[in-house]
């Protein structure tokens, strides 16, 4: 089986390439090798490899920057998936496209089902939703939209590395208490994508995160505790809890970010508690 991965140098892309089963031939493409906003390059690359499956792990993921660069965000998050879906359709391939909880407004108080109404609060969420719509319209039978949330990995721009960086300077980070979600390791998402690839009949929208619910503040406290216990940090600075109102950012962020993943767990795919995954990723940072 041949699997083409776009955005292969991002957090999820790397985890996917590093965990490919032996029976799979992976064709990893970072942005420098394949810019998904170039329709012709996308078509040529897909025609050349004739993959069975394309996984789109590319995205413009800077939520705040998207507010001042809406056209760029739209090219990467909406048009890119559209070009990939067209190329997949022409080549007879499946497309697994990664999306986000930011398609929701975070006003819910129970985990979001894949069928819940979307209502993005900002440019990032809107462009991601338009990308989902394009994929589902062009390739309804052979596409999976996998929404996830709060991704982190040992390498990359993410909450874990930001908190570690601030704590290494011994400054006490200020972290919001009124945004809750499930910290999710990129490796967990990669594992579920390989599961989905092994289920050729699956299509439609699905959700995946690790298990459990935490505020950003809880996540930061856990990072401090676990990183100190493992010796990744010499000592933990105190963390100051703040409200979203006290921590203004260019983009509005949803308060409630929990996704219902029973469409996948009911198939026997296991989800692990976020704190256990955090420990594993910190161990990886320690070993690096
Ligand atoms: N991070 C999260 O918390 C989170 C949560 C939910 C869903 N997601 C979704 O998951 C997917 C992967 O996210 P991630 O966390 O792995 O993000 P990431 O680490 O930022 O990786 C995204 C990758 O996409 C590449 N890219 C950007 N523009 C591109 C283009 N025009 N053509 C090809 N590649 C391009 C980036 O390359 P450069 O770095 O060279 O620009 C980067 O390697 C995205 O679709 C994102 O929306 C992420």
């Amino acid at each position: 089986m041949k699997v083409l991965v776009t955005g292969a140098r991002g957090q999820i892309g790397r985890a996917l390439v590093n965990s490919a089963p032996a029976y799979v031939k992976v064709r990893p493409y970072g942005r420098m090798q394949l810019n998904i906003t170039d329709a012709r390059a996308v078509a040529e690359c897909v025609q050349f490899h004739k993959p069975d499956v394309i996984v789109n792990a590319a995205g413009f993921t800077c939520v705040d920057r998207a507010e001042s660069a809406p056209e760029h965000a739209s090219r990467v998050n909406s048009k890119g998936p559209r070009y990939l879906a067209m190329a997949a359709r022409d080549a007879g391939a499946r497309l697994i496209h990664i999306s986000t909880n930011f398609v929701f407004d975070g006003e819910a108080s129970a985990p979001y089902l894949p069928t819940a109404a979307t209502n993005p609060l900002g440019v990032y969420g809107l462009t991601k939703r338009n990308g989902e719509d394009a994929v589902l319209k062009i390739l309804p039978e052979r596409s999976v939209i996998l929404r996830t949330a709060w991704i982190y990995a040992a390498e990359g721009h993410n909450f874990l590395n930001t908190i570690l960086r601030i704590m290494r300077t011994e400054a006490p980070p200020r972290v919001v208490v009124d945004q809750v979600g499930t910290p999710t390791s990129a490796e967990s998402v990669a594992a579920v994508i390989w599961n989905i690839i092994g289920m050729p009949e699956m299509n439609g929208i699905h959700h995946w995160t690790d298990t459990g619910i935490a505020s950003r503040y809880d996540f930061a406290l856990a990072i401090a505790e676990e990183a100190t216990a493992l010796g990744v940090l010499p000592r933990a600075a105190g963390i100051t809890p703040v409200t979203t109102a006290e921590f203004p950012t260019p983009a509005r962020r949803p308060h409630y970010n929990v996704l219902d993943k029973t469409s996948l767990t009911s198939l026997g795919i296991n989800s692990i508690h976020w704190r256990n995954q955090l420990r594993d990723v910190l161990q990886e940072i320690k070993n690096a």
Side-chain angles (χ1 to χ4, degrees):
M1 177 186 288
K2 219 187 273 177
V3 176
L4 184 103
V5 179
T6 59
R9 299 190 58 76
Q11 301 188 91
I12 294 177
R14 262 198 313 261
L16 203 54
V17 173
N18 290 340
S19 60
Y23 65 87
V24 172
K25 286 188 189 132
V26 185
R27 299 289 177 259
Y29 276 82
R31 183 171 54 85
M32 301 307 271
Q33 293 82 41
L34 180 62
N35 184 334
I36 63 164
T37 67
D38 182 339
R40 203 163 128 192
V42 167
E44 283 174 2
C45 182
V46 172
Q47 275 309 321
F48 177 75
H49 287 297
K50 298 196 173 18
D52 301 287
V53 182
I54 302 169
V55 181
N56 180 29
F60 184 92
T61 54
C62 186
V63 175
D64 286 324
R65 213 148 29 91
E67 292 297 313
S68 51
E71 278 160 26
H72 183 60
S74 170
R75 273 198 301 278
V76 181
N77 292 339
S78 310
K79 289 201 174 136
R82 193 168 127 232
Y83 300 149
L84 285 164
M86 292 191 304
R89 181 191 59 198
D90 296 347
R94 267 179 104 197
L95 174 61
I96 298 173
H97 172 64
I98 304 165
S99 193
T100 170
N101 67 288
F102 272 71
V103 298
F104 299 119
D105 59 18
E107 295 295 321
S109 50
Y112 281 102
L113 284 162
T115 48
T118 58
N119 183 31
L121 295 178
V123 171
Y124 171 69
L126 182 64
T127 58
K128 290 296 292 184
R129 189 187 64 186
N130 292 342
E132 293 183 353
D133 289 348
V135 169
L136 291 170
K137 187 165 168 213
I138 295 164
L139 205 65
E141 307 294 331
R142 281 203 316 273
S143 62
V144 172
I145 307 292
L146 185 68
R147 295 190 188 126
T148 185
W150 289 23
I151 298 298
Y152 66 94
E155 280 180 53
H157 294 289
N158 58 51
F159 186 81
L160 166 64
N161 282 329
T162 302
I163 293 294
L164 289 176
R165 194 184 61 242
I166 297 172
M167 289 200 143
R168 284 194 183 105
T169 68
E170 303 205 350
R174 297 167 70 235
V175 183
V176 295
V177 287
D178 52 357
Q179 291 173 29
V180 298
T182 312
T184 299
S185 103
E187 283 174 26
S188 307
V189 179
V192 86
I193 291 172
W194 288 119
N195 267 294
I196 292 171
I197 289 173
M199 295 186 242
E201 301 305 317
M202 180 181 286
N203 65 1
I205 303 176
H206 296 270
H207 288 171
W208 190 257
T209 60
D210 287 330
T211 297
I213 300 175
S215 68
R216 286 279 185 199
Y217 176 65
D218 286 312
F219 187 20
L221 285 177
I223 292 168
E225 273 183 30
E226 301 288 352
T228 336
L230 278 171
V232 172
L233 284 175
R235 74 189 72 80
I239 300 167
T240 310
V242 295
T243 62
T244 300
E246 290 172 287
F247 197 88
T249 52
R252 283 175 69 204
R253 284 169 166 73
H255 284 284
Y256 187 81
N257 301 280
V258 185
L259 298 177
D260 183 309
K261 49 188 175 289
T262 45
S263 73
L264 295 174
T265 52
S266 64
L267 301 175
I269 304 177
N270 252 337
S271 174
I272 296 172
H273 195 274
W274 65 267
R275 188 138 181 169
N276 295 333
Q277 297 291 58
L278 171 64
R279 225 170 273 137
D280 285 355
V281 173
L282 282 166
Q283 188 66 54
E284 205 182 317
I285 291 175
K286 185 181 176 171
N287 296 343

